Amino acid sequence: MEPAITTRGLEVRFGEVVALSGVDLQIPAGSSLAVIGPNGSGKSTLLGALAGTLEAAAGSATVAGSRPALVLQSTDVDRSLPITVRDTVSLARYPSLGLFRRFRAEDRRAVDEALTRLAVDDLAGRQFHELSGGQRQRVLVAQGLAQDTSVLLLDEPITGLDVVSRAVILDVVDEEVAAGGTVVVTTHNLDDARRCDQVLLLDTSPIAVGSPDEVLTEEHLRRAFGGKFIRIGDEMLLDDPHHTH
């Protein structure tokens, strides 16, 4: 079976700065990959390359099937922007529908299902900017699901979220994989990384890739995080796990 995602010698540059290099991956359909590494290690850059929003300077990135859905981390929203939760999720349908074509029954169904799965259907008429951070993140994940693609790319989707939003999003990730979809998620949380089938430990170039047990070792984590990695008894923790904006 063709892998859902394949990269070969992938390199991305911003001018003369190498943001990502030497990434070789094969991610099977119906599986999950956690991408973990310190700030500035190239995690978001990798997602951008897979989504096609960033151009490879060398190597290649191939995603089977339709264009993947890229879900970014929720940030503050301009309060003057008049857009409802339903409208926000509905934006996912326009790339396949066309900007001036009317919604079909299948488009409305995709939006309704995504709202329900992320438990924001009761917020459909609310303004997006009125929501809490956790609610906004769930809406953005719902937007990704409404795109109805087999590959979902999530950039730190549960960092700093409330317990309910975190549980809902993690459940959706599990459901997508169980249904045969492929999910790539960036995270700073070692426990969340262990939930995935594979882990890529990244610091501009890969330090290790494989199963969680193979990758999340003390030796590998110290190489990636240095002094920001600590051990408490049998637990391995990151000293500063929050992404810097």
Side-chain angles (χ1 to χ4, degrees), residues 9-160:
L10 178 63
E11 178 176 301
V12 178
R13 291 174 174 263
F14 298 114
E16 296 300 313
V17 177
V18 177
L20 187 70
S21 68
V23 180
D24 294 300
L25 290 173
Q26 280 201 338
I27 307 173
S31 70
S32 56
L33 172 75
V35 184
I36 191 166
N39 292 336
S41 61
K43 299 187 299 296
S44 298
T45 300
L46 174 60
L47 295 192
L50 296 178
T53 61
L54 294 175
E55 185 177 349
S60 63
T62 304
V63 178
S66 58
R67 186 184 183 95
L70 174 61
V71 179
L72 302 178
Q73 190 176 12
S74 177
T75 57
D76 291 336
V77 180
D78 186 347
R79 299 187 68 83
S80 67
L81 181 65
I83 186 169
T84 67
V85 167
R86 179 176 293 278
D87 290 339
T88 301
V89 176
S90 296
L91 290 173
R93 303 299 301 173
Y94 286 108
S96 60
L97 181 67
L99 190 59
F100 299 107
R101 290 179 59 189
R102 295 175 62 87
F103 260 44
R104 303 157 295 187
E106 63 192 82
D107 299 309
R108 290 189 290 272
R109 181 167 55 251
V111 171
D112 288 340
E113 288 179 357
L115 289 167
T116 299
R117 289 182 63 189
L118 271 300
V120 290
D121 47 321
D122 59 329
L123 305 174
R126 293 270 302 275
Q127 291 292 309
F128 184 58
H129 67 75
E130 295 176 348
L131 305 185
S132 68
Q135 291 170 333
R136 287 201 302 269
Q137 189 65 49
R138 280 189 273 154
V139 171
L140 294 180
V141 175
Q143 186 186 73
L145 292 185
Q147 191 173 319
D148 197 20
T149 181
S150 60
V151 176
L152 189 61
L153 310 173
L154 304 175
D155 196 4
E156 297 193 35
I158 55 176
T159 298

